[in-house]
Amino acid sequence: MMKKQKKPGDNISLKTKKNEAPAIIDWINSQTNLMDSIRYLVENEIKANGVRNLQQHVPADRGFTFGDEDHAMVQGDPKHSPEYDNVIDDEEEIDEDDIESWT
């Protein structure tokens, strides 16, 4: 049976894994507009590879871990890292409509 197709404006629910990598939780907690940040990542995936089911292209176990040194970099202010030199610091207020279920 095919899952129900989403339409613009529909809600989506997301849930973190019980053993989620700390860096992923740090990234999530660093976003002022989580849905817009996820949208940006999706837009870049579509630009690079078109619309596709990532589950057919990425391994289920990606071995994503950060050592203490890498995790400390995530904890710091990313605007001081060279890879963030061109990031525009566009503070935006959290839109209640963009907050998804993370329970």
Side-chain angles (χ1 to χ4, degrees):
M1 185 163 123
M2 193 168 163
K3 69 178 186 168
K4 182 181 174 196
Q5 297 292 300
K6 298 290 183 191
K7 299 181 304 275
D10 284 356
N11 286 326
I12 60 170
S13 292
L14 303 171
K15 185 174 181 175
T16 58
K17 295 190 230 174
K18 296 269 188 215
N19 63 345
E20 201 71 72
I24 291 176
I25 298 300
D26 288 346
W27 183 89
I28 290 167
N29 288 324
S30 295
Q31 307 311 304
T32 54
N33 184 327
L34 183 58
M35 188 60 220
D36 197 49
S37 297
I38 293 170
R39 185 178 295 109
Y40 172 78
L41 297 174
V42 171
E43 289 167 352
N44 283 313
E45 161 62 18
I46 293 169
K47 286 177 192 172
N49 301 300
V51 174
R52 64 182 183 159
N53 179 355
L54 282 180
Q55 295 306 296
Q56 297 175 350
H57 301 276
V58 296
D61 181 11
R62 294 180 286 281
F64 181 79
T65 58
F66 271 98
D68 290 338
E69 186 176 294
D70 292 330
H71 187 64
M73 187 234 15
V74 174
Q75 294 288 340
D77 185 353
K79 290 174 267 190
H80 294 252
S81 299
E83 67 267 24
Y84 291 99
D85 283 346
N86 295 324
V87 173
I88 297 171
D89 191 11
D90 184 19
E91 293 292 328
E92 56 181 281
E93 198 156 319
I94 295 174
D95 184 341
E96 291 296 317
D97 291 336
D98 285 338
I99 296 174
E100 300 300 335
S101 172
W102 286 86
T103 57

